[in-house]
Amino acid sequence: MFGTQWTKNANIQRFMRTAGIDSNRALQGYFNRRLEGILLRRGKVMIAWDGALDGRLPGDVAIQSWRSSKMTAQSVRSGHPTIVSAGYYLDMRLPAGQHYLIDPFDTARWGLSPDEMRSLKGTLVGRFLTDAYFNDDPAPLDSGEQQRILGGEAPIWAVTPDGLDAALWPRAG
């Protein structure tokens, strides 16, 4: 559940009532809008992960789409400049050719199929999946939406020093 710790914290709940914030999603949006104002005053651009999309972000906040091509489509259709990470995670240790097949403009390219989602239902992994990982084949991006894609990023997480070379090369080459 989103914001479980916020719900349990009496101080946060008091702040939300005082500020007229009615949900944890609205609290996340409040925080993100305040943070974006601080960054703008310093000449910076805020970048948020795609989970922040439902927090009423201003259109100039860049989104890092990491869960699926569906989230890339949702981000650019919401007017956000977008960095595509979905499909490029080097720590997944996919063959390099798999990463090169990912087209950041292809909204149907990366995500779980309906069969994959069904097979994971009831499993430990399935408990943490939301429909953001589900690739339900959204419509192609138009040229204006494609213009909002800034490029791709090849992230690498949770790799030990011993496994770094194996995860990084030749995938990032």
Side-chain angles (χ1 to χ4, degrees), residues 49-51 64-68 71 83-87 89 110 133:
W49 283 351
D50 60 35
Q64 182 178 345
S65 169
W66 67 277
R67 293 182 287 181
S68 67
M71 298 310 294
I83 301 165
V84 180
S85 298
Y89 275 82
W110 190 259
Y133 294 94

Side-chain angles (χ1 to χ4, degrees), residues 82-117:
T82 302
I83 301 165
V84 180
S85 298
Y88 297 117
Y89 275 82
L90 299 178
D91 51 321
M92 293 180 77
R93 297 192 184 189
L94 297 171
Q98 288 293 106
H99 294 293
Y100 288 111
L101 289 174
I102 305 298
D103 178 352
F105 296 144
D106 184 351
T107 59
R109 185 64 181 114
W110 190 259
L112 296 172
S113 70
D115 288 339
E116 290 167 324
M117 285 293 281

Side-chain angles (χ1 to χ4, degrees), residues 27-171:
L27 178 61
Q28 179 186 13
Y30 170 86
F31 172 80
N32 284 333
R33 287 187 301 279
R34 288 212 42 204
L35 178 60
E36 196 231 1
I38 292 167
L39 293 170
L40 283 175
R41 286 191 299 276
R42 287 163 176 75
K44 308 293 182 191
V45 174
M46 181 175 167
I47 300 175
W49 283 351
D50 60 35
L53 279 170
D54 45 1
R56 297 185 303 247
L57 291 173
D60 54 350
V61 172
I63 297 297
Q64 182 178 345
S65 169
W66 67 277
R67 293 182 287 181
S68 67
S69 299
K70 173 183 180 175
M71 298 310 294
T72 300
Q74 183 179 334
S75 177
V76 298
R77 289 188 176 125
S78 297
H80 294 280
T82 302
I83 301 165
V84 180
S85 298
Y88 297 117
Y89 275 82
L90 299 178
D91 51 321
M92 293 180 77
R93 297 192 184 189
L94 297 171
Q98 288 293 106
H99 294 293
Y100 288 111
L101 289 174
I102 305 298
D103 178 352
F105 296 144
D106 184 351
T107 59
R109 185 64 181 114
W110 190 259
L112 296 172
S113 70
D115 288 339
E116 290 167 324
M117 285 293 281
R118 276 191 293 278
S119 73
L120 292 170
K121 201 171 197 106
T123 68
L124 180 62
V125 170
R127 286 183 30 212
F128 297 99
L129 295 177
T130 65
D131 66 336
Y133 294 94
F134 179 56
N135 185 9
D136 54 0
D137 221 8
L141 302 178
D142 65 32
S143 60
E145 293 163 342
Q146 289 181 10
Q147 292 295 313
R148 291 188 198 100
I149 293 183
L150 302 175
E153 177 207 30
I156 188 166
W157 292 80
V159 177
T160 65
D162 294 338
L164 183 61
D165 284 343
L168 190 57
W169 307 112
R171 291 164 191 83

